[in-house]
Amino acid sequence: MSKAHYELHGRVAVIRLDNPPVNGLGHALRQGIVDGIRQAEENDAVSAVVITGSDSAFSGGADITEFGTPKMIAEPNLPTVINFIESSTKPVVAAVAGTCMGGGLELAMGCHFRIADPKAKIALPEVKLGLLPGAGGTQRLPRVVGIEAALNLIVSGQTVPAGMFMGSQLFDEFVQDGDLQFAAIAFAEKVAKEGKPLKRIRDMKVEHAKPEAFFMFARNMVGAIAKNYPAPLKCLEAVKASTEKSFDEGIRVERQLFAELMQTPESAALRHAFFADRATSKIADVPADTPTRDINKVGVIGAGTMGTGISINFLNADIPVVLLEMKQEALDRGLDNIRKAYEGRVKKGKMTEDEARKRVELVQPSLSYGDFADVDLVIEAVFEDMGVKEQVFSKLDDVCKPGAILASNTSTLDLNHIAAVTKRPEDVIGLHFFSPANVMRLLEVVRGEKTAKDVLATAMKLAKKIKKTAVVSGVCDGFIGNRMIGRYQTQALLMLEEGASPQQIDKAIEKFGFVMGPLRMADLAGGDIGWAIRKRHYEEKPDMKRLVIADRLCEMGRYGQKTGAGFYRYEPGRRDPLHDPEVGKVIEECRKEAGITPRKISDKEIVERCVYALVNEGARILEEGIAQRASDIDMVYLTGYGFPVFRGGPMFYADQVGLLNVMRAMEQFANNPMADPGFWEPAPLLAKLAAEGKTFN
Ligand code: NAD
């Protein structure tokens, strides 16, 4: 079936794009457009053509289901379609409403005239996939909006309203509230009747008084922001070509640069992340049409660090929250923190006072479980103690209505055990938010043994509503993210014993691209958390290697930022880590006591040991079925742990390095006399894939 409908309105042919949801420019639609233009050309009764989409989308650009397939470039490919439109002898008018992005905007610029709803959403977002607009966008846009505005749009990838380009040549007319298609037909009739020359953007000149000076300035700016990403500077090169070369040569430059970017690991990583993000919501045995439960009111237990942040997510989504605490004092403190968070938004100009007040008013403070009688979902965020959680869930079982979802924010406790406290384990689920819960994008949705499918589907849908990236995890100690980070932290702490300094370790990892090195992260999270886990492990496995330096610092009460000292020193009220000679002394003493002669450790070793520790544990998590797919693990790390996005996540990164190379490095680390026996034992899945020359993704 054709995805472009051809209709005659008097002497105007209308080609209506019809490939829901966003009129992605797949092969059938592209062919339909070409056929429509040809039909109009051949019909003497037609004097002009209008290309239009739906109210919600002119076109969102490439059809992502064709990504990486031969269909994407099969003729007529997008540049061919655009050239075909542009060389039509009859005027072609684009009627732009809703989304007009990427290839969609490039298509519109191939038309001779454009009329638009000023609210239409305009963008060239290719840079977000590490690419540049490759169907003439870098050559046509500067010709109609000037090089500065064009560069801004192309380098930022941002979406802006069409109205922003009022007064430029990008749009010939705006239609505020009327019927856009009707107006476009009238416009097309008029230009045909007047015999106005066709405005081919390719024939226009780029206007700028001093392009060299501008590009010199812009290169510095873009270079500074782009750091690990090659695409923004290539975008700049392409736009620059529009000022120096003929249109056709400029197009050749654009194509060449596009092809180069396609080959970069950064673009591969960004494209991987794009698809990984979409894949997270697919659950093999929970079909997309699984019915969900309505969530119109939420209960939160515990108004501490997590409870307040979790509440804010729902308030922002206009969902009322009953916030419960044990004591009035704790409740007041929690409410005060919520209020302060909104005051902060108002101060930054992100929200009006009125809006902030309305959000805060959606909270119903409570000291009584009776107030949970009508909530649809409760999230527990009380102390991390099984005894306390047991009490809370047995209370919830008594007071909550049938069908209410009972969720725990526990980071380490056994969700199946918590569920078993209730008479309705099928309604129990883990919703593991990350701190600060109103800021961090990641939400681990923990599926218990008995969690019902509709409960899982509801949690995934709700996550979208509160703008989280939800990743399903099975039940295990630490779930996906924290279980892996434990292994990574262990390596960082071991290297501290062996000879590296906290600064060297953090710098090496930050240079690799992590937002924060492991020891700074430990200081931020609180050293006592890791210490408590280690003490438990030492009891369980007495022959386990002790991390003497980290333990000693904790024994000294150095828990990190909250105590003003950890691996670094902190000034009151500040978060920047300062070098502390005291730590140097502790390190030296501990090494001496343990009889360790420190050795020089390379940055390469630091990065490989930390990252491959993640990869090996990730492989175990995958083969145990805790994670559904390798790309889910990548999403956990990209959205919750500051893993460099341009490297695509730990599993994707390992694939890029080559699993055999990862295995070889791990063998070497295992031979280090200071290695913990068993630590570098390769996960069977990793060993198998490496032997077969395969990848995780
Ligand atoms: P917190 O100490 O800041 O807050 C806990 C709050 O729960 C306190 O205000 C306390 O008064 C209240 N509380 C305790 N028992 C209660 C009860 N029976 N009824 C009502 N209120 C009760 O702790 P937090 O950091 O917010 O952690 C809460 C939970 O979230 C824990 O399970 C923790 O493991 C988990 N978690 C924490 C983080 C983090 O980074 N802090 C991240 C993810 C998950």
Side-chain angles (χ1 to χ4, degrees), residues 479-555:
F479 311 123
I480 298 173
N482 283 343
R483 175 169 155 187
M484 285 167 66
I485 209 74
R487 309 288 284 177
Y488 160 97
Q489 287 282 5
T490 297
Q491 284 308 309
L493 296 177
L494 265 174
M495 286 185 277
L496 199 58
E497 314 245 317
E498 290 171 37
S501 70
Q503 286 81 357
Q504 192 203 350
I505 294 172
D506 283 342
K507 276 211 188 102
I509 292 292
E510 284 159 21
K511 205 162 150 228
F512 176 76
F514 266 92
V515 175
M516 198 184 278
L519 304 179
R520 279 179 65 196
M521 191 166 107
D523 270 1
L524 175 68
D528 49 330
I529 300 179
W531 192 32
I533 297 172
R534 285 200 298 281
K535 283 192 283 193
R536 210 173 69 215
H537 289 171
Y538 296 153
E539 267 174 36
E540 288 162 5
K541 292 192 225 155
D543 62 333
M544 190 181 157
K545 177 149 181 46
R546 282 167 190 263
L547 297 167
V548 189
I549 297 168
D551 291 350
R552 180 74 50 85
L553 291 171
C554 285
E555 284 157 18

Side-chain angles (χ1 to χ4, degrees), residues 302 304-306 325-326 381-384 389 409 411 432-433 435:
T305 311
M306 295 307 288
E325 259 290 347
M326 288 184 297
V382 303
F383 301 136
E384 186 76 338
K389 307 256 187 209
N409 182 46
S411 311
H432 187 218
F433 288 84
S435 183

